[in-house]
Amino acid sequence: MPRTQRNDNFIDKSFTVMADLILKMLPTNQQAKEAFAYYRDGMSAQADGEYAEALENYQEALKLENDSNDRSYILYNMGLIYASNGEHEKALEFYHEAIDLNPKMPQALNNIAVIYHYQGERAKEAGNEDEGEALFDRAAEYWKQAIRIAPNNYIEAQNWLKTSGRSEMDVFF
């Protein structure tokens, strides 16, 4: 049974009905509509914590989706799942693929920076000061890119860039 038929609460059912109506009325081909249906089911499964099911739906959506912008969001969501499961290297792969397709995706840039920052902290805790600093520098570069695209976002990152001396940007906010 498709996930769209299993939603139990009113809001999920309402969203599903609206999404199905929009999908039917979209002036696009059947393949794009199927890709969107898989993407929508993937998002629903992801929201429910059903990551394996979400990944299956996203993989099917990727097989059908031709639009690079839409593909970037599918890849981004796959990266979110791997990051939440602690598979940081795999998450980085998906985030980078998403950015390759959509360079103006600050949320993917931010998530890459978060992973590099986390890895930098772990390296320093393990006594690898130079490796930790190199990872912090990588994080800083990605945060700067994200902030250039979305200057009012990522306030904590902006503060970290300032306090760590890794910012040569004059205006953040």
Side-chain angles (χ1 to χ4, degrees), residues 4 10 13 17-18 27 33 35 37 43 55 60 79 81 114 139 151 173:
T4 55
F10 175 77
K13 286 181 182 178
V17 168
M18 291 302 294
K33 290 179 181 184
M43 288 190 311
L55 287 172
E60 290 301 317
I81 291 171
V114 168
F173 305 101

Side-chain angles (χ1 to χ4, degrees), residues 77-124:
N77 282 330
M78 293 174 82
L80 287 175
I81 291 171
Y82 286 110
S84 70
N85 286 335
E87 297 180 60
H88 296 135
E89 294 305 318
K90 192 129 178 134
L92 286 170
E93 290 175 28
F94 281 99
Y95 292 144
H96 282 290
E97 283 185 60
I99 292 168
D100 288 344
L101 294 174
N102 182 0
K104 301 284 187 195
M105 186 179 259
Q107 61 272 39
L109 294 164
N110 175 66
N111 290 4
I112 290 170
V114 168
I115 291 172
Y116 285 143
H117 187 270
Y118 171 81
Q119 291 174 336
E121 288 178 335
R122 299 292 82 78
K124 285 190 154 217

Side-chain angles (χ1 to χ4, degrees), residues 1-22 24 40-41 44 47-48:
M1 168 187 313
R3 172 164 281 282
T4 55
Q5 295 175 3
R6 289 187 278 158
N7 292 331
D8 293 331
N9 69 45
F10 175 77
I11 294 173
D12 282 346
K13 286 181 182 178
S14 298
F15 171 77
T16 300
V17 168
M18 291 302 294
D20 286 340
L21 286 172
I22 292 169
K24 287 176 185 171
R40 181 196 60 216
D41 286 351
S44 179
D48 290 344

Side-chain angles (χ1 to χ4, degrees), residues 36-74:
F36 177 77
Y38 279 113
Y39 178 66
R40 181 196 60 216
D41 286 351
M43 288 190 311
S44 179
Q46 186 174 355
D48 290 344
E50 300 290 339
Y51 296 143
E53 182 181 345
L55 287 172
E56 287 175 14
N57 279 297
Y58 290 146
Q59 288 165 347
E60 290 301 317
L62 281 175
K63 290 177 189 174
L64 298 167
E65 185 57 66
N66 294 321
D67 182 80
S68 60
N69 193 54
D70 292 343
R71 289 179 63 82
S72 72
Y73 283 95
I74 297 167

